[in-house]
Amino acid sequence: MPRLPTLFISHGSPTFAIEPGIAGPALTALGKTLPRPKAILVVSPHWMTREPRVATSAAPQTVHDFGGFPPALYQLNYPAPGAPAVAQRVIEVLGAAGWPVVADAQWGLDHGAWVPLLHLFPAADIPVFQVSLPARLDGERAYAYGQALAPLAEEGVLIIGSGSLTHNLHEVRFDAPDARAETYAAEFAAWVDQTLSSRDHARLQQTMAVAPHAQRSHPTAEHLWPLMVAAGAAGSQVPVTRIDGGITYGVLSMDSYVFGAIPSVAEAPALAEVA
């Protein structure tokens, strides 16, 4: 099987599950163009642990890890099977790369995983499991984490870093999903896009230090690190495709990225090739 691309997906608010905007249909279009993976590996900031953990459940539960949202959200489930054998392979690969790692038979799918997968693979018929995000990372270390996972992409596993291109919850306007985009969020997203289009992964790893409005876009950086994971798993030599998701609630950029070749971008007009 050819090497699969890796993905960074902005999962936004949990309401993305029922308010797809322009990002949801774009992810659905993408899912139809990707080779069918044997399993999906998701790294999400909603499962952070001191050291890496790998979920080994054969039937992961849908975790509704949020409160105060519309009741319809709590009725949604993503009943995909797990992938225990592939999870064990991940434990081997991370261990060989020097990461202390343990199996976790209890963890299911948090909303950073199941919400975007509702759009990307709505049939929920591909095995999926999560690998936790280590709690103490910087850009370089998050990128190295992705590099450690890279062998899985050669083995039919779709690696997804699920986060948010911008994530300032202090300024989110939940009362106005279509609010005018704040300039700082748009400028930060544009900087990331330019950095990725130039394949400057060294600069990418320094995003929090050098990008415009980095601290305002990410008062805490855990939702940015999955971008580094996805980029690290792919390397800097592959083409990059941006999925235009717009900016919701005034400050949450929903842009996502594909690192690697897509079989036919023409079949998914919502996608925009940038490199």
mmCIF file of all heavy atoms in Angstrom, residues 239-267:
data_model
loop_
_atom_site.group_PDB
_atom_site.id
_atom_site.type_symbol
_atom_site.label_atom_id
_atom_site.label_comp_id
_atom_site.label_asym_id
_atom_site.label_seq_id
_atom_site.Cartn_x
_atom_site.Cartn_y
_atom_site.Cartn_z
ATOM 1 N N PRO A 239 3.903 17.277 -0.686
ATOM 2 C CA PRO A 239 3.023 18.405 -0.979
ATOM 3 C C PRO A 239 2.059 18.664 0.172
ATOM 4 O O PRO A 239 1.779 17.763 0.974
ATOM 5 C CB PRO A 239 2.270 17.949 -2.237
ATOM 6 C CG PRO A 239 2.338 16.465 -2.201
ATOM 7 C CD PRO A 239 3.657 16.131 -1.562
ATOM 8 N N VAL A 240 1.586 19.901 0.248
ATOM 9 C CA VAL A 240 0.668 20.301 1.314
ATOM 10 C C VAL A 240 -0.602 20.865 0.684
ATOM 11 O O VAL A 240 -0.526 21.670 -0.250
ATOM 12 C CB VAL A 240 1.305 21.371 2.226
ATOM 13 C CG1 VAL A 240 0.338 21.772 3.338
ATOM 14 C CG2 VAL A 240 2.613 20.868 2.816
ATOM 15 N N THR A 241 -1.740 20.444 1.196
ATOM 16 C CA THR A 241 -3.024 20.933 0.704
ATOM 17 C C THR A 241 -3.808 21.544 1.856
ATOM 18 O O THR A 241 -3.965 20.908 2.903
ATOM 19 C CB THR A 241 -3.857 19.794 0.080
ATOM 20 O OG1 THR A 241 -3.119 19.201 -0.983
ATOM 21 C CG2 THR A 241 -5.178 20.319 -0.468
ATOM 22 N N ARG A 242 -4.246 22.767 1.666
ATOM 23 C CA ARG A 242 -5.067 23.422 2.690
ATOM 24 C C ARG A 242 -6.543 23.158 2.420
ATOM 25 O O ARG A 242 -7.003 23.227 1.287
ATOM 26 C CB ARG A 242 -4.833 24.937 2.688
ATOM 27 C CG ARG A 242 -5.653 25.696 3.753
ATOM 28 C CD ARG A 242 -5.270 27.172 3.776
ATOM 29 N NE ARG A 242 -5.651 27.846 2.556
ATOM 30 C CZ ARG A 242 -6.845 28.436 2.350
ATOM 31 N NH1 ARG A 242 -7.768 28.411 3.312
ATOM 32 N NH2 ARG A 242 -7.104 29.042 1.219
ATOM 33 N N ILE A 243 -7.278 22.873 3.476
ATOM 34 C CA ILE A 243 -8.721 22.743 3.414
ATOM 35 C C ILE A 243 -9.301 24.000 4.064
ATOM 36 O O ILE A 243 -9.163 24.205 5.267
ATOM 37 C CB ILE A 243 -9.221 21.490 4.140
ATOM 38 C CG1 ILE A 243 -8.549 20.243 3.568
ATOM 39 C CG2 ILE A 243 -10.733 21.365 4.048
ATOM 40 C CD1 ILE A 243 -8.870 18.974 4.326
ATOM 41 N N ASP A 244 -9.902 24.834 3.264
ATOM 42 C CA ASP A 244 -10.439 26.105 3.752
ATOM 43 C C ASP A 244 -11.670 25.841 4.611
ATOM 44 O O ASP A 244 -12.694 25.361 4.126
ATOM 45 C CB ASP A 244 -10.803 26.992 2.555
ATOM 46 C CG ASP A 244 -11.358 28.344 2.973
ATOM 47 O OD1 ASP A 244 -11.304 28.691 4.167
ATOM 48 O OD2 ASP A 244 -11.869 29.054 2.094
ATOM 49 N N GLY A 245 -11.551 26.166 5.899
ATOM 50 C CA GLY A 245 -12.684 25.975 6.792
ATOM 51 C C GLY A 245 -13.306 27.266 7.285
ATOM 52 O O GLY A 245 -14.289 27.247 8.024
ATOM 53 N N GLY A 246 -12.711 28.406 6.891
ATOM 54 C CA GLY A 246 -13.228 29.677 7.375
ATOM 55 C C GLY A 246 -12.899 29.890 8.849
ATOM 56 O O GLY A 246 -12.143 29.126 9.460
ATOM 57 N N ILE A 247 -13.453 30.953 9.419
ATOM 58 C CA ILE A 247 -13.282 31.271 10.834
ATOM 59 C C ILE A 247 -14.660 31.371 11.466
ATOM 60 O O ILE A 247 -15.508 32.135 11.012
ATOM 61 C CB ILE A 247 -12.489 32.573 11.024
ATOM 62 C CG1 ILE A 247 -11.045 32.387 10.544
ATOM 63 C CG2 ILE A 247 -12.499 33.019 12.498
ATOM 64 C CD1 ILE A 247 -10.170 33.616 10.667
ATOM 65 N N THR A 248 -14.895 30.550 12.489
ATOM 66 C CA THR A 248 -16.195 30.535 13.152
ATOM 67 C C THR A 248 -16.117 31.234 14.504
ATOM 68 O O THR A 248 -15.045 31.354 15.106
ATOM 69 C CB THR A 248 -16.693 29.092 13.358
ATOM 70 O OG1 THR A 248 -15.763 28.385 14.193
ATOM 71 C CG2 THR A 248 -16.805 28.370 12.027
ATOM 72 N N TYR A 249 -17.270 31.699 14.970
ATOM 73 C CA TYR A 249 -17.379 32.370 16.265
ATOM 74 C C TYR A 249 -16.398 33.520 16.408
ATOM 75 O O TYR A 249 -16.002 33.883 17.512
ATOM 76 C CB TYR A 249 -17.182 31.369 17.411
ATOM 77 C CG TYR A 249 -18.169 30.226 17.382
ATOM 78 C CD1 TYR A 249 -17.773 28.952 16.969
ATOM 79 C CD2 TYR A 249 -19.496 30.424 17.754
ATOM 80 C CE1 TYR A 249 -18.680 27.906 16.925
ATOM 81 C CE2 TYR A 249 -20.410 29.390 17.716
ATOM 82 C CZ TYR A 249 -20.004 28.128 17.297
ATOM 83 O OH TYR A 249 -20.905 27.099 17.252
ATOM 84 N N GLY A 250 -15.975 34.081 15.284
ATOM 85 C CA GLY A 250 -15.106 35.244 15.288
ATOM 86 C C GLY A 250 -13.631 34.953 15.403
ATOM 87 O O GLY A 250 -12.807 35.724 14.906
ATOM 88 N N VAL A 251 -13.257 33.818 16.039
ATOM 89 C CA VAL A 251 -11.835 33.613 16.348
ATOM 90 C C VAL A 251 -11.325 32.199 16.097
ATOM 91 O O VAL A 251 -10.115 31.959 16.199
ATOM 92 C CB VAL A 251 -11.534 33.984 17.817
ATOM 93 C CG1 VAL A 251 -11.827 35.455 18.072
ATOM 94 C CG2 VAL A 251 -12.314 33.111 18.788
ATOM 95 N N LEU A 252 -12.176 31.238 15.791
ATOM 96 C CA LEU A 252 -11.724 29.857 15.628
ATOM 97 C C LEU A 252 -11.514 29.543 14.151
ATOM 98 O O LEU A 252 -12.468 29.320 13.407
ATOM 99 C CB LEU A 252 -12.745 28.869 16.215
ATOM 100 C CG LEU A 252 -12.957 28.895 17.726
ATOM 101 C CD1 LEU A 252 -13.976 27.831 18.123
ATOM 102 C CD2 LEU A 252 -11.639 28.682 18.469
ATOM 103 N N SER A 253 -10.247 29.526 13.731
ATOM 104 C CA SER A 253 -9.956 29.137 12.354
ATOM 105 C C SER A 253 -10.200 27.645 12.202
ATOM 106 O O SER A 253 -9.697 26.831 12.987
ATOM 107 C CB SER A 253 -8.501 29.451 11.988
ATOM 108 O OG SER A 253 -8.190 28.902 10.722
ATOM 109 N N MET A 254 -10.966 27.276 11.171
ATOM 110 C CA MET A 254 -11.296 25.878 10.911
ATOM 111 C C MET A 254 -10.469 25.297 9.767
ATOM 112 O O MET A 254 -10.784 24.226 9.252
ATOM 113 C CB MET A 254 -12.789 25.748 10.611
ATOM 114 C CG MET A 254 -13.692 26.106 11.781
ATOM 115 S SD MET A 254 -13.482 24.980 13.182
ATOM 116 C CE MET A 254 -14.192 23.486 12.489
ATOM 117 N N ASP A 255 -9.406 25.988 9.353
ATOM 118 C CA ASP A 255 -8.547 25.452 8.298
ATOM 119 C C ASP A 255 -7.905 24.142 8.743
ATOM 120 O O ASP A 255 -7.512 23.980 9.898
ATOM 121 C CB ASP A 255 -7.440 26.443 7.938
ATOM 122 C CG ASP A 255 -7.942 27.623 7.137
ATOM 123 O OD1 ASP A 255 -9.127 27.635 6.764
ATOM 124 O OD2 ASP A 255 -7.130 28.538 6.894
ATOM 125 N N SER A 256 -7.807 23.216 7.809
ATOM 126 C CA SER A 256 -7.136 21.942 8.034
ATOM 127 C C SER A 256 -6.108 21.740 6.931
ATOM 128 O O SER A 256 -6.101 22.455 5.929
ATOM 129 C CB SER A 256 -8.152 20.798 8.057
ATOM 130 O OG SER A 256 -9.072 20.953 9.128
ATOM 131 N N TYR A 257 -5.238 20.746 7.110
ATOM 132 C CA TYR A 257 -4.167 20.510 6.142
ATOM 133 C C TYR A 257 -3.981 19.026 5.880
ATOM 134 O O TYR A 257 -4.116 18.192 6.784
ATOM 135 C CB TYR A 257 -2.839 21.104 6.642
ATOM 136 C CG TYR A 257 -2.800 22.606 6.505
ATOM 137 C CD1 TYR A 257 -3.244 23.425 7.540
ATOM 138 C CD2 TYR A 257 -2.377 23.205 5.319
ATOM 139 C CE1 TYR A 257 -3.244 24.807 7.409
ATOM 140 C CE2 TYR A 257 -2.378 24.584 5.183
ATOM 141 C CZ TYR A 257 -2.811 25.371 6.221
ATOM 142 O OH TYR A 257 -2.824 26.739 6.074
ATOM 143 N N VAL A 258 -3.655 18.729 4.613
ATOM 144 C CA VAL A 258 -3.258 17.392 4.201
ATOM 145 C C VAL A 258 -1.781 17.442 3.852
ATOM 146 O O VAL A 258 -1.361 18.266 3.026
ATOM 147 C CB VAL A 258 -4.056 16.917 2.976
ATOM 148 C CG1 VAL A 258 -3.647 15.498 2.589
ATOM 149 C CG2 VAL A 258 -5.555 17.003 3.237
ATOM 150 N N PHE A 259 -0.996 16.573 4.483
ATOM 151 C CA PHE A 259 0.432 16.470 4.186
ATOM 152 C C PHE A 259 0.646 15.197 3.374
ATOM 153 O O PHE A 259 0.565 14.095 3.908
ATOM 154 C CB PHE A 259 1.246 16.413 5.480
ATOM 155 C CG PHE A 259 1.142 17.655 6.325
ATOM 156 C CD1 PHE A 259 0.162 17.771 7.303
ATOM 157 C CD2 PHE A 259 2.026 18.706 6.138
ATOM 158 C CE1 PHE A 259 0.066 18.911 8.082
ATOM 159 C CE2 PHE A 259 1.937 19.856 6.912
ATOM 160 C CZ PHE A 259 0.951 19.960 7.878
ATOM 161 N N GLY A 260 0.877 15.378 2.079
ATOM 162 C CA GLY A 260 1.038 14.238 1.196
ATOM 163 C C GLY A 260 0.099 14.326 0.016
ATOM 164 O O GLY A 260 -0.819 15.152 -0.013
ATOM 165 N N ALA A 261 0.325 13.469 -0.962
ATOM 166 C CA ALA A 261 -0.452 13.513 -2.193
ATOM 167 C C ALA A 261 -1.872 13.021 -1.960
ATOM 168 O O ALA A 261 -2.113 12.068 -1.222
ATOM 169 C CB ALA A 261 0.224 12.660 -3.263
ATOM 170 N N ILE A 262 -2.828 13.700 -2.600
ATOM 171 C CA ILE A 262 -4.218 13.273 -2.623
ATOM 172 C C ILE A 262 -4.480 12.714 -4.014
ATOM 173 O O ILE A 262 -4.104 13.332 -5.014
ATOM 174 C CB ILE A 262 -5.172 14.451 -2.340
ATOM 175 C CG1 ILE A 262 -4.853 15.058 -0.975
ATOM 176 C CG2 ILE A 262 -6.619 14.000 -2.387
ATOM 177 C CD1 ILE A 262 -5.649 16.304 -0.671
ATOM 178 N N PRO A 263 -5.116 11.560 -4.132
ATOM 179 C CA PRO A 263 -5.285 10.944 -5.451
ATOM 180 C C PRO A 263 -5.872 11.852 -6.508
ATOM 181 O O PRO A 263 -5.412 11.892 -7.634
ATOM 182 C CB PRO A 263 -6.202 9.759 -5.152
ATOM 183 C CG PRO A 263 -5.894 9.408 -3.739
ATOM 184 C CD PRO A 263 -5.621 10.713 -3.054
ATOM 185 N N SER A 264 -6.912 12.617 -6.152
ATOM 186 C CA SER A 264 -7.536 13.478 -7.151
ATOM 187 C C SER A 264 -8.162 14.680 -6.482
ATOM 188 O O SER A 264 -9.301 14.635 -6.039
ATOM 189 C CB SER A 264 -8.608 12.724 -7.948
ATOM 190 O OG SER A 264 -9.237 13.586 -8.868
ATOM 191 N N VAL A 265 -7.396 15.767 -6.405
ATOM 192 C CA VAL A 265 -7.924 17.002 -5.832
ATOM 193 C C VAL A 265 -9.099 17.516 -6.652
ATOM 194 O O VAL A 265 -10.030 18.124 -6.139
ATOM 195 C CB VAL A 265 -6.807 18.067 -5.741
ATOM 196 C CG1 VAL A 265 -7.374 19.408 -5.286
ATOM 197 C CG2 VAL A 265 -5.722 17.618 -4.778
ATOM 198 N N ALA A 266 -9.100 17.230 -7.963
ATOM 199 C CA ALA A 266 -10.178 17.706 -8.835
ATOM 200 C C ALA A 266 -11.524 17.171 -8.402
ATOM 201 O O ALA A 266 -12.569 17.779 -8.651
ATOM 202 C CB ALA A 266 -9.891 17.287 -10.275
ATOM 203 N N GLU A 267 -11.537 16.014 -7.737
ATOM 204 C CA GLU A 267 -12.797 15.433 -7.288
ATOM 205 C C GLU A 267 -13.311 16.112 -6.027
ATOM 206 O O GLU A 267 -14.422 15.849 -5.586
ATOM 207 C CB GLU A 267 -12.609 13.938 -7.014
ATOM 208 C CG GLU A 267 -12.316 13.131 -8.256
ATOM 209 C CD GLU A 267 -12.074 11.674 -7.948
ATOM 210 O OE1 GLU A 267 -12.420 11.267 -6.820
ATOM 211 O OE2 GLU A 267 -11.550 10.964 -8.806
#
